[in-house]
Amino acid sequence: MRNLVAGTSSSSLAGRARARRWNLFLRTFPDLERLKVVDLGGTPQFWSASPIRPRSLTVVNLATSNSPATDWVEVVTGDACKAAELGLQNDYDLVFSNSTIEHVGGHDRCLAFAETVKTLGSRHWIQTPYRYFPIEPHFVFPGLQFLPIALRQHVAARWPLSYTKSMGGNLDDPLDAVLWTELLSRTHMKYYFPASEIVSERFAGLTKSLIAVRR
């Protein structure tokens, strides 16, 4: 599982879209400041953008965090698809995830990720970019998700807007970046979260991302 969310300026198009998402999230969970939250695949830095912070936050990510310890954030290095290995209790008020499930690696791993979500808490917000939005969001390239793997690799290595380049990242292995990114459809999300409401996040009238919500 990878955490592949590119940073953007708050004045950019992507930055404004994320601000709208925060607003939607806070309207959905207006009691956030009273909640104990676990974020699967996130980072403490991501939550620094939130206008309201939760009562406590546990962040689970495969990558080791360099963030300094705080009194309200616990960082767990681990695989969110393997709930039993995380050592976390089923006592979270809200399970949160932003743009992670599409990076976990295949149908069986998505099922395991969804099972972790259901294991850790009864309420959740699980966001993922929509497969059929015309612009692939990680590489900012039209229809990249529908191209053969070899062509996706070619674009990832050369397209100047690819997420790894925007982050100053290393594209020595663009094929690896491509293979770790598999966008999901509404049918996928409904299958993985059958008891959830699947909310559409729209841009220019088109569904840009999907959010599995259980209130």
Side-chain angles (χ1 to χ4, degrees):
M1 180 178 61
R2 304 293 181 86
N3 178 37
L4 302 174
V5 179
T8 56
S9 166
S10 61
S11 62
S12 70
L13 191 63
R16 291 195 296 273
R18 288 178 185 176
R20 288 194 296 272
R21 184 179 299 158
W22 274 117
N23 289 335
L24 176 59
F25 173 63
L26 294 173
R27 289 199 304 272
T28 305
F29 298 101
D31 54 345
L32 177 65
E33 63 185 346
R34 299 194 297 272
L35 301 184
K36 182 178 181 180
V37 176
V38 58
D39 181 346
L40 303 179
T43 64
Q45 295 93 324
F46 173 86
W47 286 88
S48 67
S50 175
I52 300 175
R53 74 183 193 186
R55 174 170 60 88
S56 70
L57 174 67
T58 299
V59 171
V60 177
N61 202 306
L62 279 180
T64 302
S65 175
N66 295 319
S67 301
T70 70
D71 59 357
W72 68 282
V73 181
E74 175 189 13
V75 178
V76 175
T77 301
D79 187 346
C81 295
K82 298 180 179 180
E85 297 181 4
L86 296 176
L88 303 178
Q89 302 300 312
N90 179 19
D91 63 351
Y92 291 95
D93 301 310
L94 177 66
V95 182
F96 178 95
S97 184
N98 185 72
S99 297
T100 296
I101 191 172
E102 73 272 17
H103 298 300
V104 300
H107 175 58
D108 60 336
R109 297 265 299 164
C110 286
L111 282 171
F113 183 91
E115 188 58 32
T116 297
V117 171
K118 297 164 193 174
T119 295
L120 294 181
S122 60
R123 304 168 75 192
H124 57 248
W125 166 287
I126 310 298
Q127 181 272 344
T128 188
Y130 182 46
R131 178 172 178 78
Y132 296 107
F133 188 71
I135 307 296
E136 204 289 336
H138 306 91
F139 302 92
V140 199
F141 191 86
L144 182 77
Q145 62 271 41
F146 307 119
L147 297 179
I149 294 293
L151 285 179
R152 289 192 235 173
Q153 177 186 8
H154 181 85
V155 171
R158 294 166 176 79
W159 184 242
L161 300 181
S162 292
Y163 70 85
T164 39
K165 288 189 176 181
S166 71
M167 295 173 71
N170 188 341
L171 273 177
D172 287 345
D173 194 352
L175 179 59
D176 184 68
V178 164
L179 292 176
W180 275 102
T181 305
E182 194 62 41
L183 301 186
L184 305 183
S185 68
R186 186 179 300 276
T187 302
H188 284 105
M189 289 293 279
K190 196 62 183 175
Y191 184 83
Y192 298 136
F193 303 100
S196 305
E197 177 187 3
I198 307 301
V199 175
S200 295
E201 184 181 39
R202 297 184 181 276
F203 176 80
L206 301 175
T207 299
K208 184 177 182 292
S209 69
L210 301 171
I211 308 164
V213 176
R214 188 153 190 191
R215 304 167 195 266

